[in-house]
């Protein structure tokens, strides 16, 4: 997943602390293909947690407009948790990091409460430092 950010250092630190990612590599020079696809790119860092890879990058001329609204984009990324307790721990981790004051967040919107639907599926939505939305969900075995 590629994530364009206006503050790579802030974003990298938050992803490392929130998800427990490690930094795999960084670039500040790019191929013609990359420059044609991402004009103005200045820095790119790959981070990894397990088999999941994120590419965090900055570009010159990045507009400060928040994601959202009624435009074509990914609306959110859903990540599965192993239990309701694990889901609650992700929500609490976000709150601790936000309240620490160590990170600049694009939006002050807190995570949603954890809701449980008629099928017993637990869900919570939260935003990363860029204003990108993640859903954390727990699906009981009976519904999976």
């Amino acid at each position: 997943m590629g994530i364009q950010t206006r503050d790579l250092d802030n974003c990298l630190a938050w992803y490392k602390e929130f998800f427990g990612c490690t930094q795999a590599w960084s670039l500040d020079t790019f191929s013609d293909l990359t420059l044609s696809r991402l004009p103005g790119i200045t820095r790119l860092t790959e981070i990894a947690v397990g088999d999941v890879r994120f590419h965090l990058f900055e570009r010159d001329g990045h507009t400060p407009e928040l994601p959202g609204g009624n435009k074509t984009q990914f609306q959110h990324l859903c990540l599965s948790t192993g239990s309701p307790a694990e889901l609650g721990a992700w929500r609490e981790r976000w709150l601790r990091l936000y309240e620490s004051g160590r990170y600049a967040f694009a939006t002050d919107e807190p995570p949603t409460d954890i809701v449980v639907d008629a099928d017993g599926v637990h869900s919570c939505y939260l935003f990363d430092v860029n204003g990108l939305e993640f859903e954390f969900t727990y699906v009981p075995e009976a519904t999976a």
Side-chain angles (χ1 to χ4, degrees):
M1 180 163 128
I3 300 169
Q4 181 171 306
T5 181
R6 64 176 121 332
D7 184 345
L8 183 60
D9 297 327
N10 179 64
C11 185
L12 175 61
W14 186 83
Y15 270 78
K16 287 168 81 173
E17 189 165 356
F18 184 73
F19 284 110
C21 295
T22 57
Q23 187 171 342
W25 49 262
S26 291
L27 295 174
D28 60 9
T29 57
F30 303 96
S31 69
D32 289 340
L33 175 61
T34 298
L35 292 171
S36 71
R37 294 180 49 81
L38 299 169
I41 189 168
T42 56
R43 295 192 300 160
L44 169 69
T45 296
E46 181 179 271
I47 54 175
V49 60
D51 292 333
V52 177
R53 303 283 187 261
F54 294 100
H55 287 174
L56 310 176
F57 61 93
E58 285 180 334
R59 292 168 69 181
D60 285 336
H62 181 278
T63 63
E65 182 181 342
L66 285 174
N70 191 18
K71 57 186 172 238
T72 302
Q73 65 179 7
F74 287 109
Q75 200 281 326
H76 70 270
L77 177 67
C78 183
L79 301 172
S80 180
T81 65
S83 69
E86 184 181 333
L87 174 61
W90 281 109
R91 185 178 186 280
E92 290 302 314
R93 179 180 296 147
W94 188 97
L95 290 168
R96 279 193 313 274
L97 293 179
Y98 182 82
E99 292 166 359
S100 76
R102 293 191 313 269
Y103 302 100
F105 283 79
T107 178
D108 291 331
E109 190 171 333
T112 65
D113 290 333
I114 295 172
V115 296
V116 182
D117 71 15
D119 293 324
V121 175
H122 297 62
S123 295
C124 173
Y125 295 83
L126 54 85
F127 294 96
D128 79 349
V129 293
N130 305 292
L132 299 171
E133 189 171 36
F134 285 85
E135 175 186 10
F136 285 81
T137 189
Y138 167 71
V139 179
E141 282 188 38
T143 12

